[in-house]
Amino acid sequence: MKLALQLRKEGQLKESNERFLRLVKESPEDPQLNYQLAWSFDVLGLEAEAVAFYEKSITSGLQGKDLEGALLGLGSAYRALSEYEKSEATLLKGIELFPENHAMKAFYAMVLYNLGRHQEAMAFLLKGLAVTSSDPSIQAYKRAIEFYSDKLDEVWK
């Protein structure tokens, strides 16, 4: 596995993927190997191939940061494949388990957009911007951005 990870780090993505494929064939129930193989398909732009391995890694007991990455990867892959309901459910599970992961929330906003729920998507993005940005001009208006994030259609006269 170390060699496969090193190959990926060096940009030898296809070689890394082939090595992970061999490793998963030898240990098909290993959650870490399934996760790494899914990731290797993902970085090759092969989301459809990644899905089954993300799913297997999660159901096989992946934990911690790797589970966090697998939920984000799976939710993103589902979205890219236009499986929006599956994406939403996966990303919501990820947000529930890892509420501080703002990338997960950004991907969730994307799937809300795909589902036609534009107001919810904007609210997630604006709240995330207010919380994560270190830009002084954003921070100066943080409270206002948070306040208006879910009131975009309201008018005050």
Side-chain angles (χ1 to χ4, degrees):
M1 186 159 103
K2 286 182 183 179
L3 177 58
L5 290 170
Q6 185 63 35
L7 288 168
R8 182 167 62 208
K9 187 177 181 180
E10 293 171 358
Q12 297 180 49
L13 303 179
K14 191 169 174 31
E15 295 83 356
S16 174
N17 177 265
E18 290 167 358
R19 183 160 293 273
F20 278 123
L21 268 170
R22 286 193 299 275
L23 290 169
V24 167
K25 284 180 183 173
E26 293 171 13
S27 302
E29 300 302 314
D30 186 305
Q32 186 59 234
L33 288 175
N34 278 280
Y35 170 54
Q36 294 298 332
L37 178 56
W39 184 350
S40 76
F41 276 122
D42 224 345
V43 297
L44 288 168
L46 302 171
E47 288 86 354
E49 288 83 351
V51 166
F53 296 102
Y54 277 132
E55 291 172 339
K56 182 70 173 178
S57 72
I58 293 166
T59 60
S60 295
L62 198 63
Q63 299 200 357
K65 280 294 205 189
D66 291 331
L67 175 60
E68 185 175 0
L71 289 168
L72 179 55
L74 180 58
S76 174
Y78 280 147
R79 194 195 70 76
L81 298 168
S82 73
E83 296 187 42
Y84 303 131
E85 289 78 15
K86 287 182 179 180
S87 176
E88 178 185 22
T90 302
L91 292 168
L92 275 175
K93 180 179 179 181
I95 291 168
E96 178 183 314
L97 293 173
F98 305 100
E100 298 304 314
N101 186 317
H102 295 287
M104 189 100 57
K105 293 174 184 177
F107 279 90
Y108 181 65
M110 289 183 225
V111 81
L112 289 174
Y113 173 86
N114 293 126
L115 289 167
R117 293 162 48 194
H118 304 132
Q119 289 179 336
E120 287 177 76
M122 282 296 296
F124 254 87
L125 288 176
L126 289 170
K127 287 176 185 174
L129 177 67
V131 169
T132 62
S133 178
S134 60
D135 182 283
S137 62
I138 296 293
Q139 288 306 303
Y141 290 95
K142 178 181 177 174
R143 286 185 19 196
I145 292 169
E146 288 175 325
F147 176 78
Y148 290 117
S149 66
D150 60 355
K151 299 168 185 61
L152 296 175
D153 290 326
E154 290 186 36
V155 177
W156 287 267
K157 293 185 179 191

